[in-house]
Amino acid sequence: MLPFQNQVDRLRKYEPVCYTICLTLLRDEQSSSLAAQQLLLQLFDDSNFWKLEESKRDRYVLRAAGPICCEQMKNARYMKTS
């Protein structure tokens, strides 16, 4: 595995991708920000993500964002109805 700081630096370039995907799916800035944070944390620990070629990582991020955004939508709906 990569040294911690190197891994963080490499992951930083995916922040805009993560946020854009989450914003597109959730259409809410606050929810998108939370979902993108969760997605970045998940990717940080995902050894499969780090093994991928650069060209395949964006697609992987998109697939990983789906379940996180769905969970965020459920949480947002629950908060509104409570």
Side-chain angles (χ1 to χ4, degrees):
M1 190 59 70
L2 300 168
F4 179 81
Q5 189 58 48
N6 187 16
Q7 196 169 349
V8 169
D9 292 343
R10 290 180 65 193
L11 193 59
R12 277 203 175 111
K13 78 180 216 177
Y14 290 94
E15 283 182 81
V17 172
C18 291
Y19 180 73
T20 301
I21 291 169
C22 293
L23 184 60
T24 301
L25 294 173
L26 296 171
R27 304 211 182 262
D28 175 72
E29 289 183 23
Q30 187 175 10
S31 295
S32 299
S33 179
L34 291 171
Q37 287 174 16
Q38 291 174 345
L39 179 55
L40 287 163
L41 288 171
Q42 178 179 311
L43 292 173
F44 182 84
D45 284 333
D46 189 339
S47 61
N48 292 324
F49 173 75
W50 296 110
K51 291 176 188 174
L52 287 172
E53 298 172 25
E54 278 301 309
S55 62
K56 295 183 179 179
R57 287 187 182 160
D58 284 352
R59 187 173 206 77
Y60 189 88
V61 170
L62 178 60
R63 284 193 309 263
I68 291 172
C69 288
C70 285
E71 188 63 32
Q72 190 65 35
M73 277 191 267
K74 288 179 192 175
N75 291 339
R77 286 184 189 147
Y78 177 76
M79 296 296 280
K80 287 180 182 177
T81 60
S82 311

